[in-house]
Amino acid sequence: MKKIMMTLAAIAVAATMNAQAYIGGSLGFATASQDGNSTTVWSIMPEVGYNLNENWAVGTVIGYGEAGKDESKVKKFTIAPYVRYTVAKLDKVNVFIDGTVGYTNTKYYGFKNNTFNVGIKPGVAVNLNDKLSFVTHFGFLGYENSKDDYEGAKAVNTFGLDLNGNNLTFGLYYNF
């Protein structure tokens, strides 16, 4: 964890040295309760990127999240580098598509799961001012391979379009 935090700090410092860089991400928090039992779910998904020109950018999301408690706790680590192409610029609104390759490691009930995906994620950025942007991603079109990490486990391969509410994210970017 210390190496990850140092890497994130180095990326943040490097990003602040160039006016074409941005940093941001999203946070998530929820509590669910049923029959007196409550569960807390949270995630932090920092993102750093670099605008190559007016239409192209590269970046990555590195995140962590937890759900549940004690022996039923689910922990997720995600890394997802991407290439972004801005399809349209409409005054203060940019419509874009991220081509992404992602990896998620999930630990739960003593088991591990590794998930790899490749695909595109459409999104919209609203430029609130010169420095701050509100960004949303919705959906995923692509391929995903998920496999539990134990002997004899079979992989689940999925290809398709996923436009449900579970693939909707909101975040803020600070543009340097």
Side-chain angles (χ1 to χ4, degrees), residues 25-31 40-45 64-66 170:
S26 60
L27 299 171
F29 180 81
T31 300
T40 301
V41 179
W42 65 270
S43 66
I44 181 168
M45 303 294 282
Y64 180 79
E66 290 185 0
F170 299 100

Side-chain angles (χ1 to χ4, degrees), residues 102-126:
Y103 167 75
T104 300
N105 177 268
T106 306
K107 295 179 182 177
Y108 59 99
Y109 296 107
F111 293 101
K112 294 180 183 176
N113 176 280
N114 294 302
T115 302
F116 299 91
N117 62 42
V118 59
I120 58 172
K121 294 175 102 174
V124 175
V126 178

